[in-house]
Amino acid sequence: MDAIVGYSYTAKTDYEERYKDENYYWGIAPNRLCCEIMKLRPPIKPYRVLDMGCGEGKDAVFLARNGYQVTAFDVAESGLKKARELAYVNGVEVDFIRADINEFKPVEMYDIVFCSGVCHYIRKDIRATLFKELKEHTTEGGIHAMNVFVQKPFIEIPPDSEEIERQTEPWYSGELLYYYNDWLFHKNEETIFNCNSGGIPHRHCMDIMIAEKGEADAET
Ligand SMILES: C[S@@+](CC[C@H](N)C(=O)[O-])C[C@H]1O[C@@H](n2cnc3c(N)ncnc32)[C@H](O)[C@@H]1O
């Protein structure tokens, strides 16, 4: 069945090993974008959420605890195992799936698509198609909340970056927004922040976006 909907597990990620540690590599506090999702689409009904590249599940579980109906995927089985444990101890159901974002074909409709720290794995040649399909599989008024690392000449490549990241064509400022030029933006910012992942301090530049499907004047 997985193969029919285009899932395959060919991608390799260093996170497969990193997530084998008993501690949660990214902690269990939700990403700030999840709180912004809750403000924009408070869970007055079980909105369907897709979390792409969910890692160890902190955001998927947070949203499920708050009443959203969450499907989440990642290519790292070790992350999914911990994500399922996190859902279990929090007493919530999340549909965790193993999938490669470069093979993923949305089949269901979603109200909210969330993706944090993962877009940089998406191959350049499939970006336009993937975002088009994700947008088509979003309900009217649905939102996408995403971020992407962007390349800047004054920021060095992170010391813990993976071989696969270095092989994938980088993203540039505004590229993510470009895929959403026909949606309404609730958030559109670029930020530089310090990071200590891998134990070596470094910096990232990130574009952060929340966009809504529908006419730009539907909200006004
Ligand atoms: C920076 S982590 C972000 C994890 C999670 N979104 C979070 O914020 O905690 C990047 C994640 O992308 C996943 N990943 C890497 N390549 C992938 C691929 N081709 N398809 C799906 N997930 C992938 C890794 O396993 C890892 O969990």
Side-chain angles (χ1 to χ4, degrees), residues 11-13 15-16 19 26 31 51-59 73-76 99-102 114-118 120-121 149 162 164:
K12 294 272 181 286
T13 172
Y15 287 102
E16 191 66 77
Y19 291 156
W26 301 110
N31 188 294
D51 179 358
M52 302 196 297
C54 61
E56 301 156 301
K58 61 179 171 49
D59 300 311
F73 73 81
D74 199 284
V75 80
D100 177 349
I101 200 163
N102 283 301
F114 172 74
C115 185
S116 177
V118 180
H120 59 293
Y121 294 107
F149 297 116
E162 301 180 64
I164 187 80

